[in-house]
Amino acid sequence: MQSGDLSAVRLLIVGDVMLDRYWFGDVSRISPEAPVPVVKVERSEERPGGAANVARNAAALGAKVSLLALVGDDEPGVSLKRLMSEGGIDASLQVDEAVTTTVKLRVIGRQQQLLRIDFETTPSHEALRAKLSEFERRLPDCDAVVFSDYGKGGLTHIGEMIRLARAAGKIVLVDPKGDDYACYAGATIITPNRSEMREVVGRWKDEADLEQKAAALRNELALDALLVTRSEEGMSLFRAGGALHEKAVAREVYDVSGAGDTVIATLAVMLAQGADWAKAIHVANVAAGIVVGKLGTAVVTRAELDAALN
């Protein structure tokens, strides 16, 4: 099985972007000031996170990708712009002087994450309005829209954006956040992970119970489908024609951060290319199996994906 020709696929990614910073070092002693390890930093890395990581994943598969998001008037915002242009992504990163760009700084010692420090603020109303009109302008030039919601305030107008996209006949995928999914009503598919799904529908006692809860949520939000990513249990797609399950791809799990970004990016690319649900979730599941074997927010290349599919 191959992923097929993906170069004609055009995606528009909208959402919360962030800069993932990694400080790697050696830990050889405990601090005399407090019972914490002392990390002697030896190297650092910067990677796009959030919606920017979704964009990077889709571009790595060969799709033409546009990204619409907000950043602050600061050095991390400049870094994100540079990383997007290096990745061949047409990024419209609107500068909101009222915010600082979201940064997640991870301190890693001996391949273990020791600490994460987050810097973030909520965007201003004016910047969000400007983003909505830019969205309308870019909508005709894409086959599918991906909304990557990290709860940072960049998707305040998502309900209106989903309505516009569906009216224009686009496939709409949402990676959701929080416990109220009403704002995602009318999307083609949403992709909560297991714990996010529990937050919204409560616990389920068995597969049949999960299927009922998924059907109720799907009907309530008028979705075509609902994909629940379930870590070691693989992933389950719920739609009118019944459920489809994909077993987890067994491999060394190194880091699950960013795996959801890889899943939704791959799913969007496959659906936009015309794949059916079964093929799209199979390919997305294989991609997730590759990316959890890498450290930090990472991508799966087209060559890696085709090799794994074969």
Side-chain angles (χ1 to χ4, degrees):
M1 186 180 185
Q2 292 277 310
S3 49
D5 180 24
L6 305 175
S7 60
V9 168
R10 301 165 308 161
L11 293 188
L12 174 58
I13 318 277
V14 189
D16 298 309
V17 294
M18 54 199 75
L19 187 65
D20 284 331
R21 285 200 158 132
Y22 297 86
W23 287 359
F24 298 93
D26 191 38
V27 178
S28 56
R29 64 194 181 98
I30 298 297
S31 169
E33 301 156 354
V36 293
V38 174
V39 183
K40 185 164 172 282
V41 175
E42 286 154 357
R43 67 185 176 91
S44 62
E45 254 182 59
E46 289 185 337
R47 299 181 194 171
N53 188 43
V54 177
R56 198 170 68 121
N57 269 274
L61 293 176
K64 288 185 181 65
V65 182
S66 298
L67 172 68
L68 178 53
L70 298 170
V71 292
D73 185 9
D74 50 22
E75 174 267 332
V78 172
S79 289
L80 269 173
K81 284 183 178 166
R82 176 180 49 77
L83 288 166
M84 291 294 93
S85 88
E86 283 170 7
I89 291 152
D90 172 19
S92 175
L93 298 179
Q94 304 194 331
V95 175
D96 181 355
E97 291 177 357
V99 304
T100 53
T101 304
T102 299
V103 175
K104 290 184 179 180
L105 170 61
R106 295 168 176 90
V107 181
I108 317 255
R110 293 188 185 156
Q111 306 296 333
Q112 289 283 319
Q113 187 179 145
L114 302 175
L115 178 68
R116 192 179 99 184
I117 304 165
D118 290 5
F119 304 84
E120 60 189 53
T121 44
T122 307
S124 69
H125 202 69
E126 293 67 33
L128 290 167
R129 267 277 149 216
K131 184 173 164 184
L132 181 60
S133 46
E134 172 78 354
F135 175 79
E136 289 191 66
R137 196 176 67 71
R138 285 179 172 261
L139 196 53
D141 301 323
C142 71
D143 306 307
V145 183
V146 178
F147 293 102
S148 181
D149 194 350
Y150 271 80
K152 309 296 180 202
L155 285 173
T156 301
H157 300 297
I158 188 169
E160 205 170 330
M161 288 177 173
I162 289 172
R163 276 197 305 279
L164 289 165
R166 289 311 296 265
K170 309 299 180 187
I171 301 164
V172 175
L173 303 92
V174 182
D175 191 352
K177 203 58 163 188
D179 57 5
D180 181 10
Y181 286 2
C183 59
Y184 310 131
T188 308
I189 182 170
I190 62 172
T191 62
N193 63 32
R194 189 169 49 189
S195 62
E196 287 166 339
M197 183 71 172
R198 273 198 203 118
E199 239 180 279
V200 175
V201 302
R203 296 190 167 270
W204 47 89
K205 42 183 197 297
D206 53 25
E207 289 299 314
D209 190 27
L210 171 58
E211 213 162 313
Q212 277 181 326
K213 287 181 186 300
L217 183 61
R218 208 172 51 72
N219 290 333
E220 184 192 328
L221 300 176
L223 308 169
D224 290 11
L226 174 68
L227 179 72
V228 183
T229 55
R230 306 170 68 181
S231 301
E232 74 287 348
E233 296 175 322
M235 51 179 71
S236 302
L237 181 88
F238 301 98
R239 60 192 170 140
L244 289 172
H245 302 285
E246 280 279 329
K247 286 192 174 72
V249 179
R251 54 169 70 225
E252 189 77 28
V253 174
Y254 195 68
D255 188 347
V256 297
S257 64
D261 297 338
T262 301
V263 168
I264 200 164
T266 310
L267 194 61
V269 169
M270 295 307 295
L271 291 173
Q273 184 225 17
D276 60 20
W277 286 117
K279 181 175 180 181
I281 70 157
H282 174 67
V283 175
N285 189 46
V286 170
I290 299 167
V291 87
V292 295
K294 302 182 179 192
L295 175 68
T297 44
V299 300
V300 176
T301 66
R302 184 61 199 283
E304 286 173 318
L305 183 58
D306 281 343
L309 287 168
N310 289 333

